[in-house]
Amino acid sequence: MVEFYGTAVSSRLMLGTAQYPSPAILADAFQRSKAGIATVSVRREAGSDQAGADFWALIKELGVAILPNTAGCHSAREAITTAQMARELFDTDWIKLEVIGHTDTLQPDPFALVEAAKALCADGFKVFPYTTEDLILADKLLDAGCEVLMPWGAPIGSGLGLSNIYGLRTLRAQFPDVPMVVDAGLGLPSQAAHAMELGFDAVLLNTAVAKAGDPAAMAEGFAGAVQAGRLAFEADPMEPRDMAAPSTPVIGKAFLS
């Protein structure tokens, strides 16, 4: 169980809803993984368009919390407008805030991100900002009113895993009481487990599941990895060491003369 903005969510796994081979496979992935939150791009929801209406009906049938996002926005103004549309469309004040600043890496624009976060928080939104592991940017987002941070593991859709472990570990240590979700770049369940072992509260992924040969099986694999990683973190794992340490006691060992 994890909590965001005072709302408890049953699973620490969050899944995107794009790129699946079919609606049935999407639904199966959510069912087998028991993911607690579904992210939905407003640009996929075409208002009164029949295809958009059918997609929205499918999402509602999943029975999970909905986190609309501003995917594809490249300015604060565009992201703010998209968030306002999402609030009307999905009847929620939750919003995953994305403001892309670099086309190749899809790295967020830190200046526009803070600008948009400040405006949306002031307007009553509960903002989940897609950010980097930068400490200064994290501090400014929290000052803007955000109560959750979503640092990337690696560029969106890359499957590279945690490309800056030191930065993520430092971010987690600097803000120990802030809910944090590792978002983007995860390609394997082992990478999700590593994120959870570092003390992050949840992970969000899309491409690694949707583009797998068996998306539902991969989603279930990620769910198990997230649970294992969290259990490991809570168990207070041993510190790594440079030298071997015998696990069998030496005292009392028989010696031959």
Side-chain angles (χ1 to χ4, degrees), residues 42-100:
V42 176
R43 292 166 184 260
R44 294 199 63 200
E45 224 7 82
S48 60
D49 178 79
Q50 185 59 46
D54 290 345
F55 179 76
W56 177 219
L58 170 65
I59 297 303
K60 289 192 289 186
E61 289 175 0
L62 297 176
V64 300
I66 304 299
L67 178 60
N69 67 44
T70 62
C73 293
H74 289 77
S75 70
R77 181 178 179 180
E78 185 181 12
I80 292 168
T81 300
T82 303
Q84 292 167 340
M85 292 169 55
R87 181 160 60 183
E88 292 185 17
L89 186 62
F90 297 104
D91 191 27
T92 179
D93 53 9
W94 281 18
I95 191 72
K96 179 191 170 188
L97 178 61
E98 297 183 31
V99 187
I100 302 303

Side-chain angles (χ1 to χ4, degrees), residues 3 15 17 45 51 56 66 70 73 82 88 100 114 144 149 160 167 169 171 174 179 188 192 197 214 228 234 240 255:
E3 190 171 293
L15 287 181
T17 55
E45 224 7 82
W56 177 219
I66 304 299
T70 62
C73 293
T82 303
E88 292 185 17
I100 302 303
V114 172
L149 295 174
L160 293 173
R169 184 183 288 116
L171 180 68
Q174 186 70 28
L188 292 169
E197 289 165 3
D214 186 339
E234 292 176 344
F255 290 93

Side-chain angles (χ1 to χ4, degrees), residues 145-156:
C146 298
E147 297 180 15
V148 177
L149 295 174
M150 301 184 77
W152 66 351
I156 294 171

Side-chain angles (χ1 to χ4, degrees), residues 106-198:
L106 300 182
Q107 181 170 327
D109 179 334
F111 307 103
L113 183 64
V114 172
E115 178 186 350
K118 187 177 298 184
L120 290 172
C121 288
D123 193 25
F125 281 90
K126 295 177 173 62
V127 179
F128 294 67
Y130 163 63
T131 180
T132 64
E133 66 278 11
D134 185 270
L135 296 178
I136 308 304
L137 176 54
D139 198 38
K140 290 187 179 299
L141 288 168
L142 295 173
D143 286 343
C146 298
E147 297 180 15
V148 177
L149 295 174
M150 301 184 77
W152 66 351
I156 294 171
S158 68
L160 293 173
L162 307 182
S163 60
N164 184 0
I165 295 172
Y166 168 78
L168 289 170
R169 184 183 288 116
T170 303
L171 180 68
R172 177 70 284 181
Q174 186 70 28
F175 304 101
D177 299 323
V178 176
M180 291 191 194
V181 181
V182 171
D183 174 20
L186 300 181
L188 292 169
S190 58
Q191 297 164 353
H194 192 184
M196 300 303 294
E197 289 165 3
L198 292 176

